[in-house]
Amino acid sequence: MSAQPSSEATPASTDLGSTNTLDEQALVGSLLWLRGPELDSVRAMFNRDDLANPRHQVVLDLIDACIAADIPTDPATALHVARTTGLVSGYRLGQLGTLLIELHGAIAHPRWAHIYATAVVEASTRRAIQRSAQRLEQAAAAEDFTDALATVTDQ
């Protein structure tokens, strides 16, 4: 296993998709370093759906599988879990390996994971508010009140 990352910020790759945020990347990367109660505490702060990037959700699924099996959450173990459980297969294993290494090295320091988790939850809440605002705008533009009510309540 490699040494802990330095306390200096390292530049993060931004080619993981338009839904990527640096806080999200740092949070998932932190989970690949943390162990025991620290890991459990940070993981309890957010839900899978708080992550906007589907790739990060897959990595979180692997981390959760590691936690459930009481094994380390480092990139090599997460990749092994992906291979043995079938959560990721085929050519995507190589892509996953690259992503795991990028996430593992993309954090300033894992001790700030709780700060990253707070930022991710805040961003998730903002996205939910934006979706609700869009539905309200659609409802306000509807000519029929019944259609407007359906627009707001159905989603």
Side-chain angles (χ1 to χ4, degrees):
M1 184 168 128
S2 61
Q4 286 281 332
S6 73
S7 61
E8 297 176 10
T10 56
S13 171
T14 57
D15 63 352
L16 298 175
S18 61
T19 58
N20 181 52
T21 66
L22 293 178
D23 290 326
E24 189 173 303
Q25 195 173 5
L27 171 60
V28 177
S30 293
L31 296 176
L32 294 169
W33 283 98
L34 296 175
R35 303 285 180 267
E38 257 188 315
L39 174 63
D40 296 336
S41 172
V42 173
R43 182 60 190 94
M45 294 178 67
F46 68 99
N47 297 315
R48 181 186 192 274
D49 293 338
D50 290 329
L51 300 176
N53 189 319
R55 292 179 182 189
H56 294 165
Q57 291 177 345
V58 170
V59 173
L60 184 63
D61 290 343
L62 296 171
I63 290 168
D64 287 344
C66 289
I67 292 169
D70 198 27
I71 56 177
T73 58
D74 61 88
T77 305
L79 188 61
H80 175 73
V81 168
R83 185 178 297 122
T84 58
T85 62
L87 286 172
V88 178
S89 60
Y91 71 93
R92 292 189 177 166
L93 280 170
Q95 294 174 345
L96 175 64
T98 301
L99 176 63
L100 287 167
I101 295 303
E102 287 177 4
L103 290 171
H104 194 248
I107 59 169
H109 201 286
R111 71 174 171 221
W112 296 316
H114 65 285
I115 295 170
Y116 306 138
T118 301
V120 165
V121 170
E122 181 180 308
S124 176
T125 302
R126 288 180 189 274
R127 288 190 304 273
I129 290 169
Q130 288 171 341
R131 287 189 301 270
S132 295
Q134 289 171 343
R135 287 194 301 272
L136 287 172
E137 283 181 28
Q138 292 169 351
E143 293 182 24
D144 182 8
F145 179 73
T146 306
D147 290 342
L149 185 59
T151 300
V152 173
T153 58
D154 287 345
Q155 301 177 19

